Amino acid sequence: MREILIPKEDLVLKYSYKTPEKIYGYKKSENPSDWQAKCREKLKELIVCDFDFAERPVEIHHTTKLDFGMVHSLIMQVDETLSIPAYLLIPEVIKSETPVIAVQGHGYIKGVLGIHNDYHHAFGVELCRAGFVVLVPEIRGFGDLVNLSAHIDGGRLIYYNWGELMAYTLVTDAFQKGYTLIGDTVQDLYAWGSYICGYTKQQSYSVAGISYGGDLSLILSALDERVDKTFASGTLGSMTPIFERCYNAPAHCIPNILKYMDRQEIASCIAPRSLCVHYGELDVPSPENSSAAFNETAIPAYNGVKRFYGILGVANKIQLAISPDMKHEMDNSALIDYLQGNEIKNILKMEDIFKKKPKERKVKPDEFCNAISGNGANTDPYVIFINDWYYGTCTYDGDGQKSIVVYRANHLQDLFNTTPITVFNAVDGTDYSCDMQAPEIHYLAGNWYIYFAAKRNDANKCHVIQGGTDPNDPLSAPYHYMSELSSPNSNTDASIITINEKHYLLSACQTDTGKCIAITEMINPWTLNPDTSTIINTPEYAWEKQSLDIVEAPEALYKDGKIMIIYSASAVYDTGCCLGMLTYNQGDPLLHSSWDKQSEPVFKSTNTVWGASHACFTTSLDGKEDWIVYHAKVYNTSDISAGALICNIRAQKFTWNRDGTPNFGEPVETGTPVREPSGTKHGRVVCEVEGGIIGGNAKIIDDALSSGGKKVRLDKIGDFVQLDAYIYSAGYYTLTILYHNTGGDIEYKSLYINDEFIERLDFPGHCPMTNPSRVTTVLFKQHMNSIKFLRDTNDSPGTDIDCFIIEKQ
C-alpha cells in the first residue's frame, strides 16, 4: 500500500495569491468627481448598502446625569426583528454646534456611560467633556449585538470562543446572509446620522472612529456627504496584507473588494471634506503587522490619498497625526484639537517615525527587567522558596490545559523561563479534565498539596492533589488526585490561610452580587466542612467593579502576627484590575465582621503597567527581603479580541509600613532594571540577543511578548546572531535559549562558542505562546566568550531567538 502513497515532498504546497490590479484605481485622465461617484456606487454594491430606507424610530430608554453631562440611552428600531442601542451624551455647556458620532472598534462593555471605559469607548466621553454633543452607537457583531442569531434555534455560529464570552462575528453572519455585515452597519450609522442631525437641528455632523470603527468611519464618510470632518484612528493601511497573510480580521471581509478598490480609494471619496488619519507611534509600524493598524502599507496609502486631495486643490484638508509613545489607541487630545479646528499638538513628523530609538538601559549582571515570563503565556503565578530553590506554578497556555506543571530555579527572575516539570495529568472525562487554573503548592500536615480549579461542562470547581512528604522538596514524589473541595462557595482560586494554627480554604465564587471571596474551615487538607463556608468579601467600590463586579484570587500575607488577605479586584481583562486588602481583626475567621476592608487599592496600574493583579508573595534567598510576584497585561487594552487576556509575570521587592501593612509601591515599568533578590548566587548571565551582532539577512523584530521587547529572526541560510558574554570563572555552564518557532516543523541551528562549532540544536515548532526554551551544556573560558547561532539549513519558516541565560552548573 505504501508504494501508492505520494509523499508531501513531491508536491508543491505553497499558497500564493496575487492581489489584482484595482479596476477603480484613479488615473489622471479621469474626472475626479466622476471617479468618486463611480467608486461610491461600486462600494455600495460590494457591501450591499442602500440608504433609501424608511425612517427608523428612535426612543429614549433612560436618562442619567453624570459628572460630564447628561446621558440618554437610546434604542433604534431597525425592523421587527432587530433594535440597536446607542448613547447620546449632552455636555453641561455645548461648545460646538456640529455633533459627533463616535464609532467604537470592538468590545463587550457599555463603556460609553463613563462608568466602565476602555480605549474603544472612552473617547466619546472625552469629546462630551470638551463640549461636543456625542452619539456613541453599539455596532453589529459586538457588545449587546455580539450574536445576532442567538434567538434562532440552531442558528448560533460561534467563530471565536474567549473563555465564557462567545463572539458572533461579522464573518459568521455573512455565512448565513450571503453578504458582509459591514453594509448593514454603515446603514445603521447613516440612520444615526439622520437622528443626530435632527436632534441638534444641524445639516452636518462629524465622525470619529478607532480600529474597526476607523474603517467604518472611512466608509460612512465616503458615502454620506453630510459628514464634514472625519478622524480615523488605527486604520487606512491596505487590506492586502490582511488577506495575503491570512490574518483573521473579519472586520475587513468585503467580498471582491481588492479587485476594485482599497482603503486608499475609499478614503479619497471623502475629499474635499476634511480628513485626519491617526496612528500611535507604537502601533507596530512594521511588515510583521498584518492587521489594519500601522503596517508598512499605511504611509503609502496616506500619501496616495493626499495626492488625490492635492488634485482637487484641497491638500490642506487632509493631515496625518502620529502620537508619540501611544499604541493602538485613540489620542483624545489630538481628536479634540482636530474637531475644534485647532492645530494638533504633540505629534511626530512622518519622516521621523522610524528614526526614534528606544531608551537604552544597561542591565548589570545582578539585575533583571520585568517581565520575568518572556512571552505572555503565563497568568495566576504562585511562588514558594524552599531550601535555596524557587518553585512556581501558574495557569499555562489558555483553555484546554489538562496538566499541572511546576517550575524550579535558583533565581526568581529565571523561574518561569525554565523548562516546566509536569507533575499531574488529568484524566479525560473527569470533573477536573479541562482548563486547570491558578494552581498553588502548599505543605500541610506532613505532605505537599497542589490546589487548583478546573472546568468540566462549563462549571469551575476547586480540587486538590497530594505529593510527597519531604518538606524540603515539593517534587520528592509523584502527585495523585485526592478530591474535589466540596463547598457551595469553592469554585476557583483555591488558597490556604492559617489562623491560630488552623487551616482554612480561601476561594472565589459567583453570586448574585458578583464574584466574591469565601472562607471555609478545613477538616483535613483534602476535605472541607461545607457548613462553615462564609462570604467575607463582595465587590463594593468602583475599583472592584471595572468591566465586571469581581473580587477574586485571595492570598494570605503574614507580618509580625498580623494576618491579611490580598485579592484581585475587577475583571482580569480590564486595564484597571488591581489589588485590594482585608485585615483579620482577631474575631472568628468565619465571620464577615472579623475582616476589615481597605477602601482603596493597595497596588494598581500605572501609565505603563496595566492590570496589575493576582499576586503571591515570597522572600529573597537570604530571607532579608519580601517580594511580590504578580501578573499584568501585555497590551494596554480591555478588549479581549485585541489581546486583553495576554499577560506576563512580573516581580519586585516591597516593604512594610509602620502599622505592619504592606507597601507595594507602584509596578516597576517594563524594561527598568531591578536589583535581583538579595543573597542570589552569582554566576548567572542574561544576554539579550538584540544587543549583539547580526549577519546575513537576520533582523531585529519588535515583539511585546519577548524578553526586552525584541527578538532576532533567522530566516535564511547564512543568517546569524553573535554576542559576547562575560563569564566570572571557567567551567561548564547551562545555556538556556528562549525562542519562538511558530512553524509546524522542528528547526535546527548550529551553535558556535569562541568560533568553534559545538552542536546543532533542535527547536520544536508550534511555540508562539508557551515560553519555549532549549537547554544545553557549554564549556566557557574565563572572562570574555563569544556565542554564535547560525542558520545553515533551509528550514522554514525560521526561528526567532529571544535571549540566552547562562548559569554555572
Side-chain angles (χ1 to χ4, degrees):
M1 285 294 291
R2 288 189 176 182
E3 286 73 17
I4 68 171
L5 298 178
I6 299 173
K8 67 178 182 179
E9 53 266 24
D10 291 341
L11 302 175
V12 176
L13 299 174
K14 184 176 181 181
Y15 174 76
S16 178
Y17 174 73
K18 184 178 180 180
T19 301
E21 183 178 352
K22 291 173 290 193
I23 294 175
Y24 283 19
Y26 177 74
K27 300 178 179 62
K28 291 184 179 179
S29 59
E30 295 181 276
N31 178 284
S33 297
D34 292 345
W35 174 84
Q36 285 181 315
K38 184 175 61 173
C39 278
R40 290 184 184 119
E41 288 307 310
K42 177 54 70 172
L43 180 58
K44 285 184 178 181
E45 176 187 325
L46 292 174
I47 65 176
V48 190
C49 178
D50 184 4
F51 295 150
D52 185 18
F53 51 81
E55 182 178 349
R56 295 178 177 177
V58 176
E59 66 176 31
I60 296 178
H61 183 265
H62 188 74
T63 298
T64 303
K65 179 71 169 64
L66 293 177
D67 67 315
F68 55 83
M70 194 68 67
V71 178
H72 298 301
S73 304
L74 308 178
I75 294 179
M76 178 173 69
Q77 196 66 39
V78 176
D79 52 37
E80 66 276 5
T81 65
L82 179 64
S83 56
I84 292 181
Y87 301 92
L88 181 62
L89 315 183
I90 311 294
E92 292 186 358
V93 179
I94 297 176
K95 299 179 181 179
S96 173
E97 293 183 353
T98 304
V100 184
I101 293 183
V103 190
Q104 61 166 305
H106 2 261
Y108 317 107
I109 66 173
K110 295 179 175 63
V112 296
L113 293 179
I115 299 171
H116 302 303
N117 290 324
D118 67 0
Y119 81 104
H120 284 291
H121 290 85
F123 68 95
V125 172
E126 295 308 310
L127 284 172
C128 184
R129 293 186 193 278
F132 290 89
V133 175
V134 187
L135 183 88
V136 190
E138 293 295 304
I139 56 178
R140 302 194 191 203
F142 302 101
D144 290 332
L145 307 177
V146 69
N147 189 344
L148 300 181
S149 69
H151 305 296
I152 302 174
D153 290 341
R156 186 167 191 158
L157 296 177
I158 298 172
Y159 196 74
Y160 287 129
N161 187 334
W162 296 314
E164 298 176 358
L165 297 172
M166 273 73 75
Y168 186 86
T169 69
L170 309 177
V171 167
T172 51
D173 181 86
F175 289 158
Q176 289 190 340
K177 298 176 64 174
Y179 63 90
T180 175
L181 190 65
I182 295 172
D184 287 338
T185 304
V186 171
Q187 289 182 135
D188 297 339
L189 294 173
Y190 182 90
W192 284 121
S194 299
Y195 173 82
I196 193 66
C197 285
Y199 182 88
T200 58
K201 295 180 173 55
Q202 298 297 317
Q203 299 298 313
S204 63
Y205 64 98
S206 298
V207 173
I210 181 171
S211 194
Y212 175 48
D215 301 343
L216 294 172
S217 297
L218 292 176
I219 297 173
L220 175 65
S221 300
L223 299 180
D224 186 359
E225 295 190 1
R226 296 175 300 178
V227 178
D228 69 336
K229 286 186 176 182
T230 305
F231 190 95
S233 177
T235 185
L236 184 66
S238 172
M239 301 177 196
T240 301
I242 297 169
F243 300 143
E244 286 190 345
R245 300 170 193 167
C246 300
Y247 181 84
N248 184 11
H252 319 286
C253 293
I254 302 174
N256 224 18
I257 184 70
L258 290 179
K259 182 178 178 180
Y260 296 96
M261 65 189 74
D262 206 336
R263 286 203 189 89
Q264 175 178 326
E265 285 72 35
I266 295 173
S268 295
C269 288
I270 299 173
R273 291 164 289 143
S274 181
L275 170 63
C276 182
V277 177
H278 171 257
Y279 292 103
E281 176 197 9
L282 307 179
D283 193 3
V284 200
S286 76
E288 305 306 316
N289 176 17
S290 301
S291 76
F294 201 173
N295 57 42
E296 79 278 17
T297 67
I299 298 302
Y302 171 77
N303 287 334
V305 181
K306 187 174 183 179
R307 280 194 297 272
F308 188 81
Y309 267 71
I311 290 169
L312 294 180
V314 289
N316 61 325
K317 289 290 190 73
I318 182 172
Q319 60 181 309
L320 175 67
I322 302 174
S323 299
D325 299 319
M326 294 190 73
K327 297 184 179 180
H328 191 60
E329 55 191 311
M330 180 67 81
D331 185 335
N332 295 325
S333 296
L335 170 60
I336 292 168
D337 282 342
Y338 170 72
L339 293 181
Q340 289 177 338
N342 301 324
E343 180 183 354
I344 300 177
K345 299 179 286 293
N346 191 30
I347 57 173
L348 299 174
K349 295 180 180 179
M350 184 175 65
E351 57 268 24
D352 294 335
I353 184 63
F354 296 111
K355 296 179 181 179
K356 187 175 179 181
K357 295 182 179 179
K359 299 176 183 177
E360 293 186 3
R361 292 189 175 105
K362 294 188 177 295
V363 181
K364 300 176 182 177
D366 60 350
E367 294 177 334
F368 68 93
C369 293
N370 278 307
I372 61 172
S373 60
N375 57 7
N378 307 96
T379 60
D380 309 334
Y382 188 78
V383 177
I384 58 172
F385 177 68
I386 299 289
N387 198 27
D388 287 340
W389 289 92
Y390 288 101
Y391 296 85
T393 58
C394 59
T395 297
Y396 178 78
D397 205 23
D399 289 346
Q401 175 197 353
K402 296 184 177 181
S403 299
I404 291 177
V405 300
V406 175
Y407 298 85
R408 181 175 183 263
N410 289 122
H411 300 86
L412 178 61
Q413 59 267 41
D414 294 344
L415 183 59
F416 292 103
N417 285 318
T418 61
T419 302
I421 302 163
T422 300
V423 297
F424 181 74
N425 290 309
V427 177
D428 286 341
T430 61
D431 288 337
Y432 52 90
S433 61
C434 183
D435 196 14
M436 294 176 166
Q437 302 173 15
E440 293 193 3
I441 308 177
H442 293 271
Y443 189 76
L444 302 174
N447 268 100
W448 285 103
Y449 295 91
I450 296 179
Y451 296 85
F452 63 97
K455 182 184 293 184
R456 188 186 182 202
N457 298 327
D458 290 329
N460 284 304
K461 293 292 182 182
C462 294
H463 302 265
V464 59
I465 56 178
Q466 185 185 70
T469 59
D470 185 349
N472 293 315
D473 187 2
L475 303 177
S476 58
Y479 282 79
H480 60 275
Y481 185 77
M482 290 296 290
S483 67
E484 175 188 316
L485 295 167
S486 182
S487 163
N489 295 320
S490 57
N491 300 130
T492 60
D493 298 339
S495 188
I496 306 298
I497 188 169
T498 302
I499 302 174
N500 298 327
E501 300 183 356
K502 196 169 187 176
H503 303 309
Y504 299 85
L505 183 83
L506 297 174
S507 58
C509 60
Q510 191 66 44
T511 72
D512 292 340
T513 57
K515 203 168 188 181
C516 302
I517 292 174
I519 187 170
T520 309
E521 184 180 4
M522 304 185 77
I523 297 173
N524 55 46
W526 61 91
T527 311
L528 303 180
N529 182 352
D531 296 334
T532 66
S533 189
T534 307
I535 301 291
I536 58 172
N537 190 19
T538 59
E540 301 174 59
Y541 301 108
W543 52 271
E544 297 174 310
K545 298 182 178 186
Q546 299 175 91
S547 290
L548 293 172
D549 296 357
I550 289 181
V551 291
E552 61 181 354
E555 287 294 333
L557 181 60
Y558 309 91
K559 177 67 172 178
D560 298 334
K562 200 178 191 74
I563 301 175
M564 293 148 284
I565 296 173
I566 307 298
Y567 63 91
S568 294
S570 293
V572 65
Y573 57 81
D574 195 288
T575 54
C577 190
C578 55
L579 295 179
M581 185 173 72
L582 303 175
T583 303
Y584 176 56
N585 61 24
Q586 305 303 317
D588 182 351
L590 296 172
L591 295 178
H592 182 279
S593 59
S594 297
W595 297 93
D596 299 326
K597 183 172 182 175
Q598 186 152 317
S599 60
E600 297 292 336
V602 292
F603 195 59
K604 59 184 180 180
S605 303
T606 66
N607 292 331
T608 56
V609 181
W610 317 288
S613 57
H614 203 116
C616 64
F617 312 99
T618 188
T619 66
S620 59
L621 279 80
D622 58 11
K624 295 179 180 179
E625 296 174 347
D626 291 291
W627 283 71
I628 180 173
V629 181
Y630 63 98
H631 72 214
K633 294 146 64 62
V634 171
Y635 302 114
N636 183 19
T637 174
S638 299
D639 177 1
I640 297 178
S641 67
L645 287 176
I646 301 176
C647 297
N648 50 33
I649 297 175
R650 312 168 74 89
Q652 63 189 68
K653 184 175 70 171
F654 71 92
T655 59
W656 298 90
N657 300 313
R658 290 184 177 181
D659 63 356
T661 58
N663 185 346
F664 297 124
E666 290 188 345
V668 175
E669 182 179 356
T670 301
T672 299
V674 175
R675 189 71 175 266
E676 67 186 0
S678 61
T680 299
K681 299 176 181 178
H682 292 290
R684 171 188 175 275
V685 179
V686 177
C687 302
E688 294 289 352
V689 293
E690 59 268 20
I693 300 170
I694 61 174
N697 290 299
K699 52 189 174 183
I700 298 175
I701 304 289
D702 290 327
D703 181 9
L705 302 179
S706 295
S707 170
K710 295 181 183 296
K711 59 187 178 182
V712 172
R713 175 158 296 173
L714 307 180
D715 250 343
K716 301 183 188 316
I717 293 177
D719 290 357
F720 71 87
V721 58
Q722 178 176 327
L723 67 164
D724 293 331
Y726 187 88
I727 304 300
Y728 290 100
S729 59
Y732 284 97
Y733 286 75
T734 298
L735 174 63
T736 301
I737 307 103
L738 303 188
Y739 73 97
H740 303 170
N741 173 9
T742 58
D745 299 327
I746 295 177
E747 296 181 18
Y748 298 88
K749 301 289 175 288
S750 293
L751 171 65
Y752 292 79
I753 301 296
N754 299 319
D755 296 325
E756 179 183 350
F757 173 77
I758 303 300
E759 62 178 318
R760 296 187 77 231
L761 295 173
D762 61 299
F763 295 86
H766 291 308
C767 298
M769 292 286 293
T770 54
N771 279 341
S773 59
R774 183 65 172 85
V775 182
T776 189
T777 299
V778 174
L779 177 63
F780 283 121
K781 64 182 182 180
Q782 189 175 18
H783 302 319
M784 200 61 71
N785 292 259
S786 72
I787 306 170
K788 180 179 179 180
F789 266 92
L790 171 68
R791 177 170 184 159
D792 51 8
T793 60
N794 194 25
D795 302 325
S796 179
T799 299
D800 300 337
I801 306 297
D802 187 348
C803 75
F804 305 144
I805 299 174
I806 303 167
E807 189 154 12
K808 189 76 186 294
Q809 289 190 339

